[in-house]
Amino acid sequence: MRHLIDTTDISVQEIDQIIATALDIIENRAKYSEVCKGKKLATLFYEPSTRTRLSFTSAMMELGGNVLGFSDAASSSVSKGETVADTVRVLSCFADIIAMRHSVEGAPLVASHYSRIPIVNAGDGSHAHPTQTLTDLLTIRRELGRLNNLTIGFCGDLKFGRTVHSLIKALSRYEGINVVLIAPEELRLPSYIRREVCDKNNIPTREVATMEEVMPELDILYMTRVQKERFLDEEEFERLKDSFVLNADKLKAAKKDMIVLHPLPRVNEITRDVDNDPRAAYFRQVENGKFVRMALIYTLLKWAEEHPAEGETPRLDHSLVHNDWECSSRQCISNREDVDKLFHLTDDGDYRCAYCEAKCK
């Protein structure tokens, strides 16, 4: 059984296959209009979402399938105390594939250990968002014609931005990638991602104080919002929320074929005067999300038919260390529910939580 919990769960060749399928869907919509007839997608969204949930719904409907699920945890049995593991065991009886978004990091990984059907991580806390990454890759491919030899600037909230973390992981496997990090000190990219992703893959990475100083060299400017829901200190949020704002004047120094991406929703980090600039690709990016999720659903269901799940016991990766250590993150599923304590050993000799990548205590 294949799941998509993290971008690295699929190879570069498989990513290219999914993107190729998405491109074929764009050109041949009628060809795919009934390929999922009789199949059901369950959308388990424990956290608010507009684009991602409706994108999954639209994708399945355009493939000829049906959709069930919930968009608010309060309307589900989680309000009665049901665990992620039990919820997924139940939904495996009703659906053929599950898309899950959760505010607690690692919840989709736990789901994958107990599910008899494919699990797709639609975002877990500030950890990962692999389908947004596939959306970003398809957009870059359609806009610039390539996924290598690119200089990409990530701007805004790089600490809690799961879309940033996932995209850096994905791009690190392509050639000629240069990463520029544009963020206030408090919202810098987590050091483990720089060390274990960028440095390990020899990706040139540098930090700068303003977008203006690097704008002329960028092929992609990836904007993110400062996420209020990730802050424990509201005063700190108020101080940082307006740190970096892109406007039409700042774009004057950019390349004519540079593109501006944003996972959305935006607040005020991109002003309205940017929207009509042809380099503003973020609304085209939204539509690409539907196409790539169509390709992903189709592909995962096909893989599931080729390799069906067996039994109902947890399927754990034997490379993980199973012990009684505690994860240091309060937002980790291992500190919220009764799950196996799982860790993996990094190249630096540190043990990190398998669910959220935080260090163990």
Side-chain angles (χ1 to χ4, degrees), residues 337-353:
E337 294 189 5
D338 181 17
V339 301
D340 293 296
K341 306 287 187 179
L342 299 174
F343 299 85
H344 63 85
L345 182 64
T346 70
D347 293 340
D348 294 333
D350 294 327
Y351 282 97
R352 290 193 173 276
C353 177

Side-chain angles (χ1 to χ4, degrees), residues 1 3-5 84 88 100 106-119 314-315:
M1 178 64 60
H3 308 282
L4 181 61
I5 307 303
V84 166
V88 166
M100 174 186 284
L109 179 59
V110 170
S112 72
H113 292 163
Y114 292 88
S115 179
R116 293 185 289 113
I117 59 178
I119 299 290
R315 288 163 288 281

Side-chain angles (χ1 to χ4, degrees), residues 159 184-187 226 228 231 233-245 268:
K159 179 179 180 180
E185 184 174 354
E186 296 87 346
L187 296 176
V226 177
K228 183 176 183 179
F231 279 81
D233 185 342
E234 188 168 343
E235 288 186 7
E236 185 179 19
F237 166 74
E238 291 296 331
R239 183 171 59 84
L240 295 174
K241 67 178 183 179
D242 299 326
S243 295
F244 297 92
V245 176
N268 65 336

Side-chain angles (χ1 to χ4, degrees), residues 58-286:
S58 178
M60 190 55 160
M61 292 174 68
E62 290 204 27
L63 292 171
N66 296 305
V67 182
L68 54 94
F70 57 80
S71 60
D72 182 359
S75 64
S76 74
S77 289
V78 70
S79 63
K80 304 174 185 177
E82 185 173 61
T83 64
V84 166
D86 284 359
T87 297
V88 166
R89 280 171 160 157
V90 170
L91 265 293
S92 291
C93 301
F94 304 148
D96 300 284
I97 186 170
I98 292 173
M100 174 186 284
R101 167 164 289 189
H102 208 294
S103 60
V104 176
E105 296 170 14
L109 179 59
V110 170
S112 72
H113 292 163
Y114 292 88
S115 179
R116 293 185 289 113
I117 59 178
I119 299 290
V120 180
N121 181 1
D124 61 327
S126 58
H127 180 228
H129 196 348
T131 65
Q132 180 63 49
T133 296
L134 292 174
T135 298
D136 299 339
L137 294 176
L138 176 60
T139 304
I140 294 169
R141 172 71 181 278
R142 293 189 73 189
E143 296 285 330
L144 299 178
R146 66 188 191 279
L147 290 173
N148 50 24
N149 301 316
L150 296 166
T151 297
I152 179 168
F154 291 96
C155 183
D157 182 356
L158 311 188
K159 179 179 180 180
F160 298 108
R162 59 192 172 196
T163 59
V164 172
H165 304 167
S166 290
L167 184 53
I168 289 177
K169 283 184 179 180
L171 288 175
S172 71
R173 298 191 283 178
Y174 290 87
E175 296 181 355
I177 301 299
N178 292 277
V179 171
V180 182
L181 305 171
I182 313 163
E185 184 174 354
E186 296 87 346
L187 296 176
R188 285 180 176 176
L189 189 74
S191 59
Y192 81 88
I193 293 182
R194 288 201 64 174
R195 184 175 63 254
E196 298 171 21
V197 179
C198 298
D199 295 347
K200 182 178 179 180
N201 292 284
N202 298 313
I203 304 296
T205 307
R206 60 191 172 108
E207 294 180 331
V208 298
T210 67
M211 68 178 78
E212 290 91 330
E213 62 192 281
V214 293
M215 189 72 78
E217 63 190 86
L218 299 180
D219 298 302
I220 305 162
L221 176 60
Y222 197 99
M223 297 294 297
T224 65
R225 69 186 174 93
V226 177
Q227 303 174 78
K228 183 176 183 179
E229 62 269 29
R230 306 297 177 208
F231 279 81
L232 298 177
D233 185 342
E234 188 168 343
E235 288 186 7
E236 185 179 19
F237 166 74
E238 291 296 331
R239 183 171 59 84
L240 295 174
K241 67 178 183 179
D242 299 326
S243 295
F244 297 92
V245 176
L246 176 66
N247 56 37
D249 189 58
K250 292 177 182 177
L251 268 180
K252 291 177 181 178
K255 294 178 181 178
K256 297 299 182 184
D257 61 348
M258 185 197 80
I259 57 172
V260 180
L261 300 183
H262 193 305
L264 301 178
R266 66 171 166 182
V267 183
N268 65 336
E269 62 276 3
I270 300 178
T271 59
R272 287 190 300 111
D273 60 6
V274 174
D275 292 352
N276 291 328
D277 191 300
R279 292 168 291 190
Y282 33 89
F283 291 117
R284 298 192 293 274
Q285 187 180 357
V286 172

